[in-house]
């Protein structure tokens, strides 16, 4: 068994030098799309975007009629639903006429949404097939192969169930929906009574929906929309797989399905050598853009679960919205909690005694140190070397007040406008490194320095012996 030594090369660059001027976001985007949308062997979910005409219900993009459809694998209860040849979608009971529905036809009709359960009076108990859904959803169940190893998709720590649905809004034809209140395929959480029957606008807080639109506009205006997944809002009416219960959200948040696996899962699944080689495939430009993104939009939760990497080094940020324009915490940025945690380990971070002197021992997250942005830019600093669109974006925000920025982008609160104002002005007037020092850091432990942890020399290379 190989023994791993923690040896950091403190010189730049790690890999062959590339100037920032030679990196072209559009070329990078085309490369990543080609690698993620061509039906690669490691893709386990293959849902095609379908715009279904009325009269042709679909199940995962396949027509149900004429056919005899076995939905036992979807329902989990062994029930079978049949759709006879020539039967029309209009002959099925409507979604609202059924207390429960095993299989719902996505007939693309504009749904009507209600604000209370009293408005719905079902005439059927359980319908094998119903109509009136906007989407067919499935529990996420895939094990992509990354670095030659099958890895399980992470579902996060929020307790939400994650579903996929076909869409024509993304390159890979797949969207993701997070649904709270479902503990498993067969159990509804008791503390949220009636939630599985009807969701309306109160399901998402108003601030969540506002931040979806605000962040999408911000990242588009600043030319950073290729590094973060896309999110959007549209109506959702579907049947929960395994529960046969109706799910209805008037303004549901959908997200682009990220290919590959999260860095956190890969950290626990791959050997150190395999993980290091995989991280070496990530383009310098991707990490440079991720550092710009997390700084300008003051990201407060960029840990390994919120970063997806493909076998070819494709790279996407996820779960960004909830902590945008709050307090900075990112594994790309020195001085933050996650960077320091990766350096000395969880035990030392939360211990009352400092770690012993000398090179740190091998830690669970130590290889993530190589994602420090300083390892991926010439000279180890960005300064004012921003892409043209970021320059334009910063210039447009330089003299704007917090109130003006809040109104321009539809930010949920004035605190978000103030944080954006601080980040944009400092980046524009004083440069990237000055902004890192100026932006408040998220405080995780009691004795954390108020202005962030002291910057350490970057660990840009690992020697295995």
């Amino acid at each position: 068994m190989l023994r791993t030594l923690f040896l950091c090369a403190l010189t730049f660059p790690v890999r062959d030098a590339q100037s920032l001027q030679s990196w072209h976001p559009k070329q990078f985007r085309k490369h990543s799309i080609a690698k993620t949308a061509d039906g690669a062997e490691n893709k386990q979910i293959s849902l095609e975007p379908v715009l279904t005409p009325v009269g042709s219900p679909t199940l995962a993009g396949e027509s149900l009629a004429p056919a005899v459809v076995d939905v036992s694998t979807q329902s989990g209860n062994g029930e079978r639903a049949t759709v006879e040849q020539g039967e029309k979608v209009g002959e099925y009971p409507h979604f609202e006429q059924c207390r429960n529905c095993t299989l719902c036809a996505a007939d693309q009709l504009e749904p009507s949404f209600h604000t209370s359960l009293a408005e719905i009076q079902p005439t059927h108990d359980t319908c094998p097939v119903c109509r009136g859904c906007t989407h067919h959803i499935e529990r996420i169940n895939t094990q992509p192969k990354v670095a030659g190893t099958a890895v399980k998709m992470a579902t996060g720590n929020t307790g939400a169930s994650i579903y996929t649905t076909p869409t024509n809004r993304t390159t890979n034809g797949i969207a993701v929906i997070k649904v709270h209140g479902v503990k498993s395929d067969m159990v509804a959480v008791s503390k949220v009574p009636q939630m599985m029957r009807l969701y309306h606008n109160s399901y998402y807080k108003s601030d969540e929906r506002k931040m979806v639109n605000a962040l999408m506009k911000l990242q588009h205006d600043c030319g950073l929309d290729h590094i973060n997944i896309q999110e959007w809002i549209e109506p959702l009416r579907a049947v929960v797989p395994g529960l046969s219960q109706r799910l209805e959200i008037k303004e549901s948040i959908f997200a682009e399905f990220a290919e590959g696996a999260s860095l956190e899962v890969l950290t626990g699944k791959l050997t150190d050598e395999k993980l290091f080689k995989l991280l070496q495939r990530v383009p310098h430009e991707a990490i440079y853009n991720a550092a710009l993104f997390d700084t300008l939009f003051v990201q407060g939760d960029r840990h390994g679960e919120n970063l997806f990497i493909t076998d070819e080094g494709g790279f996407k940020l996820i779960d960004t919205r909830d902590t945008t324009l709050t307090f900075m915490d990112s594994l790309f940025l020195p001085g933050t909690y996650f960077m320091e945690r990766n350096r000395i380990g969880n035990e030392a971070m939360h211990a009352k005694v400092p770690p012993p002197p000398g090179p740190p021992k091998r830690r669970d997250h130590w290889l993530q140190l190589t994602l420090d942005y300083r390892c991926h830019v010439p000279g180890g600093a960005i300064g004012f070397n921003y892409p043209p669109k970021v320059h334009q974006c910063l210039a447009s925000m330089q003299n704007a007040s917090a109130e003006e920025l809040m109104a321009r982008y539809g930010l949920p609160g004035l605190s978000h406008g103030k944080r954006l104002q601080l980040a944009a002005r400092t980046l524009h007037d004083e440069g990237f490194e000055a902004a890192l020092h100026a932006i408040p850091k998220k405080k995780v432990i009691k004795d954390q320095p108020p202005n962030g942890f002291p910057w350490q020399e970057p660990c840009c290379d690992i020697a295995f012996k």
Side-chain angles (χ1 to χ4, degrees):
M1 182 175 180
L2 290 176
R3 177 171 172 265
T4 302
L5 297 181
F6 195 119
L7 300 176
C8 294
L10 302 181
T11 57
F12 177 88
V14 180
R15 292 173 269 177
D16 293 339
Q18 284 182 284
S19 67
L20 290 176
Q21 289 78 8
S22 69
W23 296 341
H24 196 288
K26 289 184 178 179
Q27 293 176 348
F28 172 69
R29 199 178 314 155
K30 289 178 181 178
H31 170 77
S32 60
I33 288 174
K35 293 297 185 181
T36 58
D38 60 356
E41 292 183 0
N42 66 331
K43 183 184 290 187
Q44 300 297 312
I45 295 180
S46 56
L47 301 181
E48 296 297 328
V50 175
L51 293 177
T52 311
V54 175
S56 179
T58 64
L59 174 62
E62 297 181 2
S63 175
L64 296 183
V68 176
V69 183
D70 183 354
V71 296
S72 59
T73 56
Q74 277 75 32
S75 68
N77 57 17
E79 293 186 27
R80 294 174 64 88
T82 61
V83 181
E84 301 297 337
Q85 185 169 354
E87 192 171 7
K88 296 181 179 180
V89 69
E91 297 177 6
Y92 308 146
H94 192 269
F95 179 95
E96 295 178 355
Q97 295 176 288
C98 307
R99 296 185 186 278
N100 299 290
C101 178
T102 304
L103 184 65
C104 188
D107 54 20
Q108 302 295 317
L109 295 176
E110 183 66 24
S112 60
F113 287 88
H114 303 279
T115 57
S116 70
L117 290 167
E119 296 184 33
I120 299 178
Q121 297 181 353
T123 57
H124 297 70
D125 186 19
T126 298
C127 302
V129 180
C130 62
R131 62 182 173 87
C133 284
T134 60
H135 299 78
H136 173 81
I137 64 175
E138 293 183 350
R139 283 296 296 268
I140 189 167
N141 183 24
T142 180
Q143 288 192 331
K145 185 172 285 189
V146 181
T149 303
V151 294
K152 186 178 181 181
M153 294 292 292
T155 56
N157 296 319
T158 62
S161 294
I162 301 180
Y163 299 96
T164 58
T165 186
T167 182
N168 59 2
R169 288 177 176 258
T170 66
T171 303
N172 58 22
I174 310 171
V176 174
I177 313 158
K178 276 188 176 181
V179 178
H180 295 269
V182 185
K183 188 175 182 181
S184 69
D185 269 349
M186 300 304 294
V187 181
V189 178
S190 60
K191 68 180 181 180
V192 281
Q194 308 290 353
M195 184 176 283
M196 294 312 303
R197 285 305 179 92
L198 178 74
Y199 297 107
H200 42 85
N201 278 347
S202 64
Y203 178 70
Y204 294 108
K205 295 178 181 178
S206 175
D207 285 1
E208 289 187 81
R209 297 194 300 273
K210 286 182 179 179
M211 188 55 85
V212 168
N213 294 325
L215 181 57
M216 293 303 105
K217 182 172 173 54
L218 274 167
Q219 65 186 40
H220 174 74
D221 285 358
C222 297
L224 295 171
D225 48 356
H226 60 289
I227 199 71
N228 186 47
I229 61 167
Q230 302 299 306
E231 288 190 318
W232 65 94
I233 295 173
E234 65 181 68
L236 170 65
R237 172 181 279 164
V239 169
V240 179
L243 288 174
S244 298
Q245 296 213 10
R246 306 176 312 193
L247 173 64
E248 182 174 1
I249 307 176
K250 187 175 182 179
E251 292 181 307
S252 178
I253 298 175
F254 289 72
E256 173 187 352
F257 178 82
E259 301 282 354
S262 76
L263 176 58
E264 193 71 16
V265 168
L266 295 171
T267 297
K269 188 72 174 179
L270 301 181
T271 65
D272 289 339
E273 290 87 345
K274 280 189 175 183
L275 179 58
F276 180 64
K277 289 179 180 179
L278 177 65
L279 295 179
Q280 291 285 85
R281 298 176 196 155
V282 177
H284 292 298
E285 183 212 11
I287 298 170
Y288 160 71
N289 280 321
L292 287 174
F293 186 103
D294 282 358
T295 303
L296 175 54
F297 304 138
V298 193
Q299 170 55 215
D301 197 33
R302 185 70 65 215
H303 50 75
E305 288 186 3
N306 293 337
L307 164 61
F308 268 57
I309 301 176
T310 69
D311 201 39
E312 298 84 8
F315 188 93
K316 279 284 186 178
L317 307 178
I318 72 164
D319 278 1
T320 298
R321 163 180 31 94
D322 292 343
T323 56
T324 293
L325 297 174
T326 55
F327 294 88
M328 179 183 289
D329 197 6
S330 170
L331 58 82
F332 303 113
L333 306 175
T336 62
Y337 169 82
F338 285 130
M339 177 73 78
E340 188 71 4
R341 186 280 311 267
N342 291 348
R343 189 178 74 88
I344 67 174
N346 270 319
E347 291 183 6
M349 284 295 288
H350 296 275
K352 295 183 179 181
V353 295
K361 296 180 181 179
R362 188 253 193 240
R363 307 292 183 187
D364 287 342
H365 298 87
W366 67 306
L367 288 173
Q368 296 181 16
L369 288 171
T370 60
L371 296 180
D372 186 330
Y373 85 93
R374 295 174 293 175
C375 298
H376 301 273
V377 296
I382 292 177
F384 294 92
N385 198 353
Y386 310 131
K389 202 163 183 181
V390 172
H391 271 297
Q392 296 170 12
C393 178
L394 295 177
S396 73
M397 292 190 280
Q398 179 190 12
N399 296 319
S401 67
E403 291 81 2
E404 288 171 336
L405 292 174
M406 179 182 171
R408 182 189 302 178
Y409 290 102
L411 294 168
L414 184 58
S415 64
H416 301 104
K418 290 180 177 179
R419 193 67 87 222
L420 179 60
Q421 180 191 48
L422 171 64
R425 284 185 178 178
T426 312
L427 284 164
H428 183 275
D429 297 342
E430 302 178 41
F432 185 82
E433 283 66 34
L436 289 187
H437 288 289
I439 296 171
K441 311 301 184 295
K442 185 173 75 174
K443 186 174 181 179
V444 180
I445 57 177
K446 185 176 181 180
D447 57 350
Q448 185 170 331
N451 296 322
F453 294 95
W455 287 28
Q456 306 294 329
E457 290 290 340
C459 179
C460 299
D461 203 0
I462 306 294
F464 296 96
K465 296 184 179 179

